[in-house]
Amino acid sequence: MTKIEINGASLAYDDTGNGSPVVLLHAGIADRRMWRAQVPVLAQRHRVIAVDLRGYGDSELPPHAFAHHDDVAGLLDALELPRAALVGCSFGGAVAIDTALARPERVASLALFGTAVSGNEWSEEANDLWDELVGETDPEDLAASAAGEVRFWVVGPGRRPADVDPELIRFAEEMDRRALASELTLSAVDVTELDPPAAGRLGELRVPVLVTAGAADVPDIGRLADRIAAEAPGAVRLPDVPDAGHLLPLERPDAVNAALLDFLR
C-alpha cells in the first residue's frame, strides 16, 4: 500500500504492473480489497491502480468539502497519468461515470459492474425489497447494518444466504462494517455531487463503455445497465452474469477478468 496527497487528503492505493493505466474504484459497501482477484490478472498487461476513495479503507477524510470525481482526476494528476481506463463497481461505477463527465479528457474508457448512477432514483420495488430483506436497523450497530446490507446486495432478493459462499459473505460483511463506519463520518462532511448529475447525461459519454450486472442483483441494477447501454453512444451491454449478486468482481472473478481483458486491449 502507498499513500498519496490528493486535494488535501491522504489516499491509499496499490500500484501494480506496467502498461496502459487502469484505475479500480470500489463499491460503497467495500474498499480496494474487493479487486483482489482482478489486480494480478490485469497487471500482466496494464498498470493497475486500486484506490480507496476518500473516507474508505485506509484513506483519510479531512473535514473540508470535496468531490470523489475530483479526487480521481487528482490521483491521475499526482501519478502523472494523462488518461486512464476507469473500472467501477456499484458506487465506484457512479464515481467513474461522474469523472468521465466532469473530466472527459482524462478517461479512456469505462468498465461498469453492477453500477450505480448519480442522480438515479430507486424504484418503489427496490424500496420494498429493502424493507423486506433489511428492515429497520440501528445505524450505530455496524454488525447488524452490515449483515442487512450484505443480505440485500451480495445475496440478493432471489437467493438465500445458504446459496452463497460463506467466505464471500464474511468478507463482504467485514468490508461493509468498515465502510459503514466511514459513511457515518462522511455524513458530517460536505460531499460535492456532480451538477447536473449523470442520470440525465449518459448521452454525453464519449468513450467506450462496458456494462453488465449480476443476474441475482436487485432488479434496479440490471435496469440501470440497460439504460446506460441504451443512452451512452459507445456502450456495450454484456449479458447478466448468472448466479451473481452485486459484488461481481469478488463473486465471479473469472467472468469479470475475461470481460476486462477483452475490453481493455
Side-chain angles (χ1 to χ4, degrees):
M1 179 191 73
T2 304
K3 287 200 168 185
I4 193 167
E5 194 81 7
I6 304 296
N7 300 330
S10 180
L11 300 191
Y13 70 101
D14 299 316
D15 192 343
T16 312
N18 296 288
S20 58
V22 178
V23 178
L24 307 178
L25 301 172
H26 61 81
I29 62 171
D31 53 52
R32 74 185 193 280
R33 292 176 294 165
M34 69 164 285
W35 302 106
R36 62 189 184 183
Q38 283 68 54
V39 169
V41 173
L42 294 178
Q44 296 175 35
R45 301 183 186 177
H46 302 277
R47 180 180 178 184
V48 184
I49 299 145
V51 62
D52 281 333
L53 293 167
R54 187 186 301 219
Y56 290 89
D58 295 311
S59 290
E60 296 177 356
L61 183 67
H64 53 263
F66 75 100
H68 287 296
H69 54 273
D70 287 341
D71 280 355
V72 174
L75 178 66
L76 298 181
D77 288 341
L79 297 178
E80 298 182 346
L81 298 174
R83 301 178 82 212
L86 304 184
V87 179
C89 177
S90 187
F91 170 65
V95 174
I97 295 169
D98 285 355
T99 306
L101 291 170
R103 301 293 299 275
E105 75 283 1
R106 309 305 301 275
V107 178
S109 60
L110 294 171
L112 308 169
F113 298 93
T115 193
V117 176
S118 65
N120 175 66
E121 295 289 338
W122 296 108
S123 71
E124 196 63 36
E125 177 189 11
N127 293 330
D128 289 344
L129 282 171
W130 181 271
D131 291 341
E132 175 187 343
L133 297 176
V134 182
E136 293 289 335
T137 59
D138 180 355
E140 295 188 359
D141 186 343
L142 299 183
S145 295
E149 290 198 348
V150 168
R151 173 65 184 88
F152 183 81
W153 290 114
V154 179
V155 177
R159 300 190 293 184
R160 300 167 301 165
D163 299 327
V164 179
D165 180 0
E167 171 57 23
L168 172 62
I169 291 177
R170 184 208 64 77
F171 184 46
E173 288 184 359
E174 188 266 308
M175 286 194 296
D176 195 29
R177 285 193 298 273
R178 195 175 185 187
L180 286 165
S182 299
E183 287 170 356
L184 284 174
T185 308
L186 276 163
S187 65
V189 177
D190 184 9
V191 182
T192 304
E193 306 291 343
L194 185 69
D195 185 23
R201 301 174 58 189
L202 296 171
E204 297 176 29
L205 293 172
R206 291 293 183 266
V207 295
V209 179
L210 177 75
V211 60
T212 189
D217 206 339
V218 297
D220 276 30
I221 296 298
R223 294 181 192 124
L224 275 176
D226 292 340
R227 180 176 174 185
I228 292 167
E231 297 183 20
V236 173
R237 171 71 156 99
L238 295 184
D240 289 346
V241 178
D243 193 26
H246 200 52
L247 294 184
L248 274 173
L250 275 172
E251 189 171 11
R252 297 289 177 260
D254 290 346
V256 169
N257 291 346
L260 285 172
L261 287 174
D262 185 60
F263 180 66
L264 299 171
R265 291 180 182 229

